[in-house]
């Protein structure tokens, strides 16, 4: 059984009847070389990603619903995921790992850091620190667990060409890591269009598995979709595509017990009379699919940023401050805290 994923622990496995473990798609009963090839072309290169697929997704490979059901079930059973009782769900939750943000108070707001198996969304205006957090997480994920890391590497899907290795070098030096090695452990892909962005994730499973990727970043999730799908009539197809994209991301985060982080821009809704007129892009689809949403704001001046936990499946709303410096994401000092806060 896999040790790192949501698969069962050894003790749990002993309590269950023996289940066959498969390594490659071709090994699965009912999957010959031709079907395996078609599945790979559709983005399913590993048993893990197949385990997270739906029967409908396998249709284009010419696989009947019944056969798809059997294949997915076998893949699920191979990695130890199947229908489970609620008490087992609790045990599954125990496999959830946490990744530090670099700021203790921000970690505390998130109950110990960014969770694996779920999507954490950071949204806010330009310069609010979304990409800086993403850079920092790429470094932190490489730390050992006792330092808040996951001993893994990172996959960075960059849609706005804002990833900078210089920042990784500064951040890793500050943490006493070898900058050259740290940079090597980040797999970078620039997405040129929303279709390309989707294609990258659809084909990421093998890269994730081979490189022990424990952090998947999409920065920004919505920028391409927002600029390509313009006008009311494009709203429905845009939301449908975004939904598919986010479900792919959740599937990968679950299959590989990885942290998934997305960033999102905001827009002002002028017709709002009550509450905050600033809203994240992507509407209900993004809102409902992101498990944890954090709204970032700049203070009126300086390095201070304000993080508000806007929604979480089990944590209360809350607000904390941190700062963005040359070293990366850090806790604000007492002196920083007494300076005027933001809007
Ligand atoms: N080397 C550095 N030292 C100190 N602060 C830095 C450094 N690099 C970036 N910053 C801070 O981070 C800010 C940029 O933040 P970031 O790129 O994370 O914004 P963002 O929220 O991703 O914005 P956008 O919506 O435009 O992508 C800069 O304006 C600066 O305040
Ligand atoms: Mg950015």
């Amino acid at each position: 059984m896999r040790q790192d994923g949501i698969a069962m622990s050894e003790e749990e496995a002993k309590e269950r009847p023996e289940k066959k473990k498969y390594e490659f798609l071709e090994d699965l009963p009912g999957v010959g070389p031709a079907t395996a090839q078609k599945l790979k072309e559709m983005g399913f290169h590993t048993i893990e990603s197949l385990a997270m697929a739906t029967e409908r997704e396998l249709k284009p490979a010419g696989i009947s619903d019944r056969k798809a059901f059997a294949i997915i079930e076998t893949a699920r059973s191979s990695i130890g995921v199947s229908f489970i009782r609620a008490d087992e769900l609790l045990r599954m939750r125990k496999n959830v790992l946490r990744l530090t943000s670099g700021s203790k108070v921000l970690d505390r707001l998130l109950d110990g850091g960014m969770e694996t198996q779920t999507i954490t969304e950071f949204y806010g205006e330009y310069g609010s620190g979304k990409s800086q957090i993403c850079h920092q997480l790429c470094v932190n994920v490489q730390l050992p667990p006792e330092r808040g890391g996951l001993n893994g590497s990172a996959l960075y899907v960059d849609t706005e060409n804002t990833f900078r290795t210089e920042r990784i070098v500064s951040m890793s030096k500050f943490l006493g890591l070898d900058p050259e090695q740290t940079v090597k452990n980040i797999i970078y892909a620039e997405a040129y269009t929303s279709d390309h962005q989707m294609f990258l994730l659809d084909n990421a499973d093998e890269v994730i598995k081979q490189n022990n990727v424990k952090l998947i970043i999409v920065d920004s999730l919505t920028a391409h979709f927002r600029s390509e799908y313009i006008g009311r009539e494009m709203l429905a197809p845009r939301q449908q595509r975004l939904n598919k994209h986010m479900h792919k991301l959740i599937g990968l985060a679950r299959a590989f017990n990885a942290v998934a982080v997305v960033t999102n821009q905001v827009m002002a809704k002028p017709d709002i009379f009550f509450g905050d007129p600033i809203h994240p892009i992507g509407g209900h689809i993004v809102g409902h699919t992101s498990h944890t949403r954090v709204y970032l704001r700049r203070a009126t001046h300086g390095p201070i940023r304000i993080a508000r936990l806007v929604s979480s499946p089990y944590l209360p709303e809350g607000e904390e401050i941190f700062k963005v410096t040359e070293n990366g994401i850090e806790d604000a000092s007492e002196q920083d805290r007494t300076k005027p806060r933001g809007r």
Side-chain angles (χ1 to χ4, degrees):
M1 286 293 156
R2 293 169 54 217
Q3 294 291 302
D4 58 341
I6 51 177
M8 292 175 287
S9 66
E10 269 174 40
E11 295 77 50
E12 288 164 339
K14 270 183 217 148
E15 290 169 22
R16 291 186 170 222
E18 188 62 45
K19 278 182 183 154
K20 202 154 181 225
K21 192 175 181 330
Y22 299 94
E23 184 122 9
F24 302 105
L25 297 186
E26 293 82 352
D27 301 341
L28 289 169
V31 178
T35 309
Q37 185 54 35
K38 272 189 214 149
L39 288 170
K40 284 178 194 169
E41 280 162 17
M42 287 160 53
F44 299 103
H45 301 88
T46 59
I47 304 284
E48 285 84 350
S49 63
L50 202 53
M52 298 297 155
T54 59
E55 288 142 51
R56 214 167 47 156
E57 280 178 299
L58 303 197
K59 257 215 165 100
I63 300 173
S64 71
D65 278 354
R66 240 177 92 190
K67 193 170 160 191
F69 178 79
I71 291 173
I72 293 167
E73 276 302 292
T74 316
R76 284 183 182 165
S77 138
S78 172
I79 67 160
V81 184
S82 52
F83 286 112
I84 49 168
R85 294 193 315 261
D87 60 334
E88 288 177 303
L89 189 66
L90 194 66
R91 275 197 272 169
M92 218 169 101
R93 285 279 307 162
K94 283 193 188 143
N95 287 332
V96 167
L97 305 170
R98 282 173 195 282
L99 171 61
T100 181
S101 64
S103 152
K104 286 197 184 69
V105 292
L106 189 52
D107 287 352
R108 215 182 308 136
L109 185 71
L110 300 169
D111 197 27
M114 256 63 52
E115 274 190 358
T116 57
Q117 300 178 27
T118 55
I119 297 182
T120 302
E121 174 194 351
F122 288 97
Y123 70 88
E125 284 175 6
Y126 71 93
S128 57
K130 304 180 294 290
S131 297
Q132 293 301 310
I133 289 187
C134 293
H135 281 70
Q136 184 72 62
L137 293 173
C138 286
V139 178
N140 293 356
V141 72
Q142 304 185 35
L143 291 168
E146 58 275 19
R147 292 184 69 190
L150 302 174
N151 265 338
S153 50
L155 176 71
Y156 203 114
V157 177
D158 183 7
T159 69
E160 295 175 301
N161 190 17
T162 52
F163 179 82
R164 295 289 175 274
T165 39
E166 296 89 317
R167 292 298 287 138
I168 301 296
V169 169
S170 309
M171 290 170 180
S172 53
K173 275 188 187 158
F174 181 67
L175 291 175
L177 298 174
D178 172 11
E180 211 173 306
Q181 195 51 48
T182 312
V183 171
K184 271 191 196 150
N185 289 337
I186 302 169
I187 299 149
Y188 173 83
E190 188 177 353
Y192 301 108
T193 62
S194 66
D195 277 347
H196 187 213
Q197 182 180 333
M198 291 181 74
F199 174 85
L200 289 171
L201 267 202
D202 287 347
N203 291 283
D205 61 340
E206 216 165 21
V207 166
I208 291 172
K209 189 172 182 170
Q210 282 166 0
N211 294 281
N212 187 33
V213 166
K214 288 283 163 197
L215 169 69
I216 309 163
I217 284 176
V218 184
D219 179 24
S220 119
L221 172 74
T222 46
H224 282 317
F225 288 93
R226 188 188 189 188
S227 63
E228 290 168 23
Y229 292 78
I230 298 165
R232 277 207 162 270
E233 67 285 2
M234 295 299 272
L235 199 60
R238 182 189 86 173
Q239 294 304 85
Q240 202 185 4
R241 300 283 285 165
L242 255 175
N243 191 24
K244 192 164 174 247
H245 189 43
M246 290 197 78
H247 275 98
K248 184 72 199 181
L249 184 57
I250 294 176
L252 292 171
R254 291 204 177 131
F256 298 101
N257 202 17
V259 172
V261 169
V262 301
T263 67
N264 195 359
Q265 275 94 357
V266 291
M267 60 177 182
K269 278 193 178 171
D271 51 346
I272 286 231
F273 292 105
F274 300 103
D276 196 341
I278 300 292
H279 280 266
I281 310 291
H284 295 306
I285 296 286
V286 176
H288 289 157
T289 332
S290 299
H291 302 99
T292 305
R293 307 192 95 181
V294 182
Y295 175 32
L296 297 178
R297 274 136 63 216
R298 286 180 91 119
T300 38
H301 63 271
I304 294 292
R305 300 293 188 277
I306 304 149
R308 162 161 281 275
L309 180 63
V310 177
S311 87
S312 153
Y314 69 105
L315 292 172
E317 274 199 26
E319 204 168 88
E320 285 293 353
I321 65 169
F322 64 96
K323 62 179 174 180
V324 181
T325 71
E326 171 65 17
N327 299 331
I329 305 300
E330 292 187 272
D331 276 321
S333 66
E334 216 33 67
Q335 203 188 2
D336 294 323
R337 285 171 172 273
T338 49
K339 282 187 188 154
R341 297 265 293 261
R343 292 160 266 174

